[in-house]
Amino acid sequence: MNKIIGGWCQDMLKLIIENSYTKVEGAQGAMLANIENSMAVMTPGAWYSPAYKNGYWDGKTRFFDKKNSCFPTGLLPQVLEIVSDGYNDDEFEVIDNRKGTEFMLDEDKLQSIILENSGKELRDYQVQSVNDVRFSELRGMQWQRGVLNLATNAGKTTIAEAIIQLTYSKLQEKWRPDKGEKAVNPVFMFVTHSKEIAYQAKKSIETDLGITCGLIGDGKWKVESVTIGIVSTLYSRYKNEKPEFIDLSKRVVAFVGDEIHHSTATSYFEILAAFNNASMRIGLTGTVEKDAVKKTRLYAITGEIITKISNNYLIKNNYSAKPECYMVPIDYPDVDKIRLYGRKDEFGELNYNDQYTKGIVSNMWRNYVIAKICEKEVFENNGQVLVLVDRLEHGECLEECFDYLDSDVRRMFLYGDLTTEVRQDGLNKLVNKEIDVLIATTILDEGVDVPNINAMIYARGGKSIRKLLQGVGRGLRKKADGSNLRIYDFIDDTAYVLIKQSQQRLEILQKEKFVTKKFVPENQLGITEKEFQQVMKDLDTTYDEKYVNVE
């Protein structure tokens, strides 16, 4: 037990810190209420709930456990701020009961970091990110927990590798979590929700550090001093109280959570919370959620943002290719008849799912344009293209357009139901230039390296900032020939909600200081009215020859 502040008396307020949760003792009246209220966050959309409307619920999500008088340790900074406002330093006590602090990084500032096996040297901001972790503290305590908010292409896995390398020698000796307990082999966990990221991280860590990593997931349970864990497998063993998970949870002394914004999901959150002996807790993400509940949940399991690197920083400092964004206007079909009949309300006549399906997924004019853009990129620019979709049906519609064109474009469609081997084979074929176009669902949203592409078509629409920036980031690695990444997105003037989402995406791209230009299919692709009419007759079973684009 390490007393950090103040003396001791029977009625003194005490904050007893453990890695996952901090217990509150001795808090009275107004102070206890202040602590509880500071961890009550208004739930987005609560006002639509009948319970809220009828006064049975105040609409807040609570992070303070009244029954056990505790809260997630990642929220300790805000609790200390409240306590410090109400008490003098000698009127409360902070007791550090965290286990595994001996596995934290030593507090020596590093000027450079070279990964031992590959000889890869970290970039300046990557070294700074590691130093930010090393020197993070809270009221005199080594803290070393929080979020590294790094834009796609910042090299999040490389930073994780540096942290692992600096910790690795400490993991080679047995460790006793408590006196009298059996000594165990400590484990550093790299946790991810994705099989693709898991295998990619395993290969990268083993190559750069020259070590053998364990793997939990995809039918495997092999634990080494550095182990890659997939959330779905870990959660299954955790929920079923399997002895292998119980043993693992005692041995984990540090973790890196990849794409840590997913920790807002119950499965990811509960797994990380179960690692009670992990004192160093680092989250990696390109996007921190704006949703107050999700952001608080993220900070609860790790901590607040330690460092932030933006796309603009990477581009300005010549680490990322500067993208050129082409916005493609699509005004057929008039999905909710807003141009013909006007708007009844902001959603038109159809619900969102119908608008999305008709305006994006099965919109064969839009899909035909996508196929033609791919041909232009492949045959005129000698490039490779990544096409991102959300739904399996959308990829199938795109395949139909390529078949209709009798296209010579070499292509492959990757989606979640395919085996890991098939999906990895598709990525390898892209890297080896055996295919020209890769169509992919959300399996490529995060963390997966797609280094070769010259163009990315964001075919999925929607308004998610995270998905858009991660999609763009798939191709931001600088090309050997110095060329820029070309991004194609759409102004979907086919339904009110779709045009609104298009405008939101355009604003996001402009906020990132990306160059945006208009790309008119009739001009840049040479599509005539006659071709449009013929394509729609052949591909769109709902096409009406009397269709007129009423302005």
Side-chain angles (χ1 to χ4, degrees):
M1 183 172 72
N2 182 13
K3 185 169 75 172
I4 305 300
I5 300 172
W8 179 89
C9 67
Q10 188 171 358
D11 296 324
M12 178 178 287
L13 185 151
K14 288 185 275 191
L15 300 174
I16 304 169
I17 308 170
E18 295 185 354
N19 287 311
S20 294
Y21 292 93
T22 292
K23 190 170 181 62
V24 180
E25 290 186 358
Q28 304 296 324
M31 177 52 67
L32 184 59
N34 285 342
I35 292 173
E36 289 181 26
N37 290 336
S38 75
M39 279 176 277
V41 181
M42 195 67 192
T43 307
W47 40 89
Y48 296 119
S49 165
Y52 179 80
K53 290 178 179 177
N54 293 322
Y56 300 123
W57 176 43
D58 63 3
K60 294 182 178 180
T61 298
R62 287 175 162 73
F63 290 87
F64 187 82
D65 180 350
K66 292 180 69 173
K67 181 179 179 182
N68 297 301
S69 192
C70 67
F71 59 87
T73 296
L75 303 179
L76 181 59
Q78 70 184 59
V79 173
L80 281 171
E81 192 173 318
I82 291 166
V83 172
S84 296
D85 285 344
Y87 288 87
N88 297 321
D89 281 358
D90 60 354
E91 294 176 326
F92 71 96
E93 182 179 17
V94 178
I95 301 170
D96 187 358
N97 277 354
R98 292 175 296 163
K99 298 173 185 176
T101 53
E102 58 266 48
F103 295 96
M104 286 184 170
L105 302 177
D106 297 330
E107 292 180 298
D108 297 320
K109 186 172 183 179
L110 299 171
Q111 301 300 323
S112 64
I113 301 174
I114 297 176
L115 301 181
E116 292 174 352
N117 194 60
S118 65
K120 181 191 294 183
E121 185 170 3
L122 270 67
R123 301 167 181 171
D124 54 357
Y125 68 86
Q126 293 173 332
V127 175
Q128 185 57 51
S129 296
V130 175
N131 282 327
D132 288 344
V133 172
R134 294 164 75 93
F135 292 109
S136 62
E137 63 173 39
L138 184 65
R139 295 181 72 93
M141 292 179 288
Q142 269 190 300
W143 200 229
Q144 298 195 4
R145 58 184 296 159
V147 176
L148 303 184
N149 185 190
L150 307 167
T152 305
N153 197 44
K156 293 189 281 287
T157 302
T158 300
I159 294 170
E161 288 172 351
I163 293 171
I164 292 169
Q165 178 172 285
L166 293 167
T167 312
Y168 191 70
S169 62
K170 298 179 181 181
L171 302 172
Q172 305 314 303
E173 297 183 10
K174 286 186 178 288
W175 170 72
R176 294 182 190 275
D178 276 315
K179 290 181 181 179
E181 283 194 10
K182 179 183 175 183
V184 297
N185 295 311
V187 174
F188 191 118
M189 286 292 300
F190 183 100
V191 183
T192 176
H193 70 293
S194 160
K195 284 195 288 187
E196 279 73 26
I197 295 176
Y199 280 106
Q200 187 169 286
K202 185 176 188 294
K203 180 180 179 181
S204 180
I205 294 169
E206 290 180 339
T207 300
D208 287 336
L209 303 188
I211 63 176
T212 299
C213 293
L215 178 65
I216 295 174
D218 199 22
K220 302 174 180 65
W221 188 281
K222 182 172 175 56
V223 179
E224 300 285 353
S225 55
V226 176
T227 298
I228 316 298
I230 300 173
V231 169
S232 56
T233 300
L234 289 166
Y235 189 63
S236 173
R237 306 294 174 96
Y238 162 76
K239 288 296 287 183
N240 292 299
E241 299 181 347
K242 295 291 185 180
E244 61 268 29
F245 184 88
I246 294 171
D247 173 70
L248 176 70
S249 66
K250 293 178 180 177
R251 294 169 58 188
V252 175
V253 295
F255 67 71
V256 166
D258 191 52
E259 305 297 349
I260 196 66
H261 49 270
H262 286 292
S263 67
T264 58
T266 298
S267 54
Y268 207 154
F269 186 94
E270 291 187 359
I271 288 164
L272 298 184
F275 296 147
N276 292 313
N277 294 330
S279 55
M280 182 162 57
R281 295 166 170 248
I282 306 300
L284 306 175
T285 185
T287 308
V288 173
E289 298 279 2
K290 290 185 177 180
D291 180 304
V293 172
K294 289 182 177 179
K295 181 159 57 171
T296 304
R297 196 167 169 83
L298 169 60
Y299 292 171
I301 203 63
T302 53
E304 297 177 355
I305 295 174
I306 298 174
T307 192
K308 179 177 176 63
I309 300 294
S310 68
N311 272 316
N312 191 44
Y313 173 89
L314 295 174
I315 293 168
K316 271 189 172 181
N317 289 276
N318 212 30
Y319 293 118
S320 288
K322 188 173 184 178
E324 295 176 346
C325 304
Y326 295 94
M327 305 304 295
V328 185
I330 298 291
D331 60 5
Y332 176 83
D334 188 1
V335 171
D336 56 7
K337 305 296 188 291
I338 56 175
R339 285 190 292 277
L340 291 176
Y341 306 122
R343 300 185 178 96
K344 291 183 179 179
D345 55 46
E346 67 173 32
F347 297 108
E349 296 180 338
L350 303 175
N351 62 39
Y352 175 69
N353 183 62
D354 288 340
Q355 289 188 29
Y356 184 83
T357 300
K358 293 182 178 182
I360 292 179
V361 175
S362 59
N363 184 344
M364 297 309 284
W365 165 236
R366 190 179 189 271
N367 291 330
Y368 179 77
V369 168
I370 291 170
K372 292 285 282 186
I373 292 172
C374 287
E375 288 197 325
K376 177 181 177 67
E377 284 291 339
V378 172
F379 299 127
E380 293 183 23
N381 298 330
N382 196 30
Q384 289 180 287
V385 187
L386 175 66
V387 183
L388 294 176
V389 298
D390 260 353
R391 298 184 185 177
L392 174 65
E393 296 82 6
H394 196 176
E396 291 171 342
C397 288
L398 287 170
E399 289 272 50
E400 185 180 344
C401 288
F402 280 109
D403 290 340
Y404 174 78
L405 285 167
D406 195 19
S407 179
D408 291 329
V409 168
R410 300 171 301 170
R411 62 192 184 274
M412 191 167 182
F413 178 29
L414 298 186
Y415 49 92
D417 290 342
L418 298 174
T419 65
T420 302
E421 291 74 17
V422 172
R423 284 147 62 175
Q424 190 59 50
D425 179 60
L427 291 172
N428 292 339
K429 284 181 176 177
L430 187 70
V431 171
N432 296 327
K433 299 193 174 182
E434 296 173 23
I435 57 174
D436 306 308
V437 173
L438 182 64
I439 304 168
T441 60
T442 54
I443 62 169
L444 290 192
D445 270 1
E446 299 163 333
V448 179
D449 195 14
V450 189
N452 284 32
I453 62 170
N454 307 90
M456 189 276 288
I457 301 177
Y458 196 77
R460 57 171 43 133
K463 64 177 182 179
S464 170
I465 296 175
R466 176 176 55 79
K467 280 188 175 184
L468 177 59
L469 293 182
Q470 285 173 334
V472 170
R474 297 280 70 81
L476 286 182
R477 179 182 289 188
K478 287 186 72 67
K479 312 296 182 292
D481 62 2
S483 62
N484 293 337
L485 173 71
R486 291 177 292 281
I487 299 165
Y488 295 88
D489 197 352
F490 297 85
I491 300 297
D492 292 302
D493 192 13
T494 53
Y496 179 79
V497 70
L498 300 185
I499 186 65
K500 188 175 179 181
Q501 290 179 345
S502 298
Q503 290 165 345
Q504 289 171 326
R505 294 197 305 277
L506 176 58
E507 288 170 5
I508 292 165
L509 295 171
Q510 291 174 335
K511 186 177 180 181
E512 290 291 317
K513 296 184 170 56
F514 296 159
V515 176
T516 54
K517 304 176 182 179
K518 193 172 183 179
F519 183 98
V520 180
E522 291 81 355
N523 297 338
Q524 273 91 339
L525 298 175
I527 299 175
T528 64
E529 178 65 22
K530 183 177 180 181
E531 181 180 356
F532 166 77
Q533 296 281 353
Q534 187 61 52
V535 168
M536 290 300 95
K537 286 178 185 177
D538 294 341
L539 288 177
D540 189 349
T541 57
T542 66
Y543 178 65
D544 183 354
E545 292 183 52
K546 297 178 182 178
Y547 166 77
V548 177
N549 183 9
V550 179
E551 297 295 339

